[in-house]
Amino acid sequence: MSDASFDFDVIVIGAGYGGFDAAKHAAEHGLKVAIIESRDMGGTCVNRGCVPSKALLAASGRVRELADAEHLAGFGIHAAPVRFERQKIADHANQLVATIRGNLTKTLERAGVTIIRGQGRLESAQAVGVREISGVDRVITAKDVILATGSDPFVPPGIETDGRSVFTSDEAVSLEWLPRWLAIIGSGYIGLEFADVYTALGCEVTMIEALDRVMPTFDPDITRIAARHLIDGRDIDARSGVLAQSIKPGAPVQIELVDMQTREPVETLEVDAVLVATGRVPSSRNLKLEQLGVETLRGFVPINDRMQVMANGQPVPHLWAVGDVTGKLMLAHTAAAQGTVAIDNILGHSREIDYRSIPAATFTHPEISSVGFSEADAKQLASDQGFELGVVRSYFKANSKALAELDSDGLMKLLFNKASGEVLGAHIYGLHAADLIQEVANAVARRQSVRQLSTEVHTHPTLSEVVEVAYKQAAASLLIPA
């Protein structure tokens, strides 16, 4: 039953996936809920991230496939030169965004959630100020408040953006034009996915990475094989260890490159456009957290595993945070999971979140995915806890389905405890890696042993047998045989 002394049981600030799942879950459990959004319903993922970028990747992936004459010839297929319409590809992404945004909004309305369009801020842990789009400013109260304000693209100092010749992923998903020569700053998942899109559509790409190797956040073994196909095998000039010290919009765009270590000038590039893909920063500046004694870390809101906001090492009563603004794992499905965990705790059902079992994927062609520990972190864990780390590799070139697809360049690396057999993590590059990782994520969540997993039967012929082979190799290498 709602507490009549408050306007709402729960107020959620931000209607991305974290805020959406929190509001929906709360309403479905009988709570009176309001959600506040200053921009478009659905947040970054629906409007400027996951959804439109995957639509672009789907379309450009078809172009790449049809244009790969050598690959098609292997099947005995000879296609005519590929033609595509940039605007219709962009329209496909925009229409998908509109559909999903509309569905999300209707879902909340049907659940009885009050949607307030405006900018939210904290007046206290149980009071939220809202400046509505109409200009009206008011304060509403709730027994519990959830911060779900998400993140924005990070633009490093020295880089000027104009949204057209120098832009971030927010603008790139609109695909307003195709520059002949595009520089991409950063080689993480955002940079890789857009490099995949733009090269498929005929653009020449220069990828600039400040760290000492391209794809620095990925497993080194995965990077070696993936880079051969995703970078070296395409019209991409990749440079590592160089910093884009300044970028000035224009025609052409000028990029001053310096050595990352010495800061000595390397060269000045002149390109048609620049995509800045250097990560994301939390959108917490306007929340007025400081008046509650909450100190952010580089803007990220500190939380515990129950999603409670922390101040001076203690939870702030009735204040919660989920999604990118927490900086835990900046993924839409992480935000959604955090949203439901927060509500369950508000309802009195004690729950925590297991970040180790949350998978991540990069939707290039082919895909990259991972879950659990990196090999370096797994080695550290093994050292700390006194067990031997097991590492096995399973190759797509031995998989019948991958061979049938003439797409057998791929690798799965499985990390496990050689004594107990517990699965600690996995890293995959290859056909449908984003789907394959879920099976391993489930095993990590359940803390399962490869001994048990190695006996499970997989459909033949499918790509899932890549995982089966890894489990069997791992089980055969355990220190204590079955």
Side-chain angles (χ1 to χ4, degrees):
M1 180 177 291
S2 296
D3 190 330
S5 61
F6 294 100
D7 298 317
F8 296 94
D9 296 312
V10 177
I11 294 173
V12 183
I13 304 177
Y17 269 128
F20 167 77
D21 273 65
K24 178 174 176 286
H25 194 54
E28 288 173 343
H29 284 78
L31 299 181
K32 186 180 180 182
V33 184
I35 192 165
I36 301 168
E37 177 55 58
S38 62
R39 293 192 278 184
D40 294 316
M41 297 295 290
T44 294
C45 181
V46 170
N47 298 286
R48 303 173 296 280
C50 331
V51 169
S53 66
K54 300 312 163 286
L56 296 180
L57 282 159
S60 62
R62 297 294 193 284
V63 173
R64 184 183 299 284
E65 188 176 342
L66 291 169
D68 192 343
E70 184 179 348
H71 184 250
L72 291 175
F75 293 107
I77 298 170
H78 303 281
V82 181
R83 295 174 56 252
F84 65 86
E85 296 177 55
R86 177 203 57 78
Q87 187 57 56
K88 287 191 176 180
I89 292 176
D91 290 345
H92 165 58
N94 292 332
Q95 288 161 8
L96 181 63
V97 166
T99 298
I100 293 180
R101 185 169 59 216
N103 291 344
L104 181 150
T105 304
K106 289 174 186 175
T107 297
L108 291 180
E109 289 173 341
R110 281 196 299 267
V113 175
T114 299
I115 298 173
I116 301 171
R117 307 306 300 273
Q119 182 75 48
R121 65 186 184 275
L122 292 170
E123 296 294 337
S124 73
Q126 295 179 296
V128 174
V130 186
R131 179 169 290 279
E132 297 185 30
I133 292 174
S134 64
V136 172
D137 198 292
R138 60 189 175 113
V139 175
I140 53 178
T141 61
K143 186 176 180 183
D144 290 278
V145 174
I146 299 176
L147 309 177
T149 47
S151 63
D152 291 294
F154 170 62
V155 178
I159 297 178
E160 300 174 37
T161 62
D162 63 358
R164 181 163 177 82
S165 65
V166 182
F167 51 88
T168 69
S169 57
D170 279 5
E171 294 82 30
V173 293
S174 298
L175 200 69
E176 290 186 359
W177 68 300
L178 294 172
R180 287 178 297 176
W181 185 5
L182 173 71
I184 297 179
I185 312 300
S187 61
Y189 77 93
I190 298 173
L192 286 175
E193 288 186 352
F194 279 107
D196 199 290
V197 169
Y198 280 105
T199 55
L201 300 180
C203 304
E204 181 182 347
V205 169
T206 295
M207 184 171 280
I208 297 166
E209 174 57 57
L211 298 180
D212 59 1
R213 69 178 177 92
V214 175
M215 299 174 58
T217 59
F218 297 88
D219 176 90
D221 286 339
I222 296 297
T223 295
R224 272 190 286 275
I225 183 171
R228 287 205 305 267
H229 299 279
L230 302 180
I231 296 175
D232 301 341
R234 297 177 180 174
D235 199 3
I236 299 175
D237 173 24
R239 309 184 186 192
S240 58
V242 290
L243 176 71
Q245 182 168 263
S246 74
I247 298 178
K248 298 187 184 304
V253 181
Q254 293 190 332
I255 310 171
E256 291 184 12
L257 296 178
V258 299
D259 184 274
M260 182 62 184
Q261 298 300 324
T262 65
R263 294 300 198 271
E264 290 294 320
V266 173
E267 68 174 301
T268 297
L269 284 181
E270 293 187 343
V271 298
D272 296 307
V274 174
L275 166 59
V276 183
T278 48
R280 302 186 66 83
V281 291
S283 304
S284 61
R285 182 176 299 176
N286 298 320
L287 289 174
K288 297 175 66 175
L289 283 158
E290 62 281 356
Q291 68 181 12
L292 275 69
V294 177
E295 293 185 16
T296 62
L297 179 62
R298 302 191 313 279
F300 293 111
V301 179
I303 58 169
N304 61 18
D305 285 344
R306 300 180 74 244
M307 307 303 114
Q308 293 172 293
V309 173
M310 305 293 287
N312 300 314
Q314 297 297 320
V316 178
H318 306 291
L319 187 60
W320 314 75
V322 303
D324 283 6
V325 77
T326 70
K328 294 296 184 182
L329 278 176
M330 298 174 78
L331 303 166
H333 47 283
T334 303
Q338 288 176 315
T340 57
V341 167
I343 294 300
D344 282 343
N345 283 303
I346 287 171
L347 291 167
H349 311 306
S350 184
R351 275 191 65 196
E352 294 187 351
I353 197 161
D354 176 22
Y355 294 106
R356 189 197 300 185
S357 65
I358 297 176
T362 302
F363 293 88
T364 46
H365 296 86
E367 297 166 345
I368 307 170
S369 62
S370 64
V371 70
F373 289 103
S374 67
E375 185 172 2
D377 288 342
K379 283 179 179 177
Q380 186 61 54
L381 180 71
S383 175
D384 293 343
Q385 297 187 2
F387 66 84
E388 185 177 343
L389 177 66
V391 182
V392 296
R393 293 167 178 80
S394 176
Y395 294 90
F396 283 62
K397 64 185 177 184
N399 180 270
S400 299
K401 184 64 163 35
L403 289 167
E405 297 280 352
L406 295 180
D407 201 348
S408 60
D409 286 316
L411 166 69
M412 171 179 173
K413 178 193 280 189
L414 182 70
L415 310 172
F416 60 99
N417 182 322
K418 288 194 77 170
S420 67
E422 180 185 340
V423 176
L424 300 175
H427 304 266
I428 307 175
Y429 165 76
L431 203 60
H432 297 297
D435 298 309
L436 294 177
I437 201 65
Q438 189 60 54
E439 179 179 350
V440 189
N442 294 342
V444 172
R446 296 164 186 152
R447 303 298 191 259
Q448 285 179 291
S449 168
V450 293
R451 192 187 307 283
Q452 172 193 356
L453 295 164
S454 67
T455 64
E456 295 179 349
V457 179
H458 291 67
T459 309
H460 176 77
T462 64
L463 296 169
S464 71
E465 291 173 290
V466 170
V467 181
E468 180 184 18
V469 168
Y471 285 157
K472 289 186 172 181
Q473 289 178 342
S477 71
L478 294 180
L479 297 175
I480 304 174

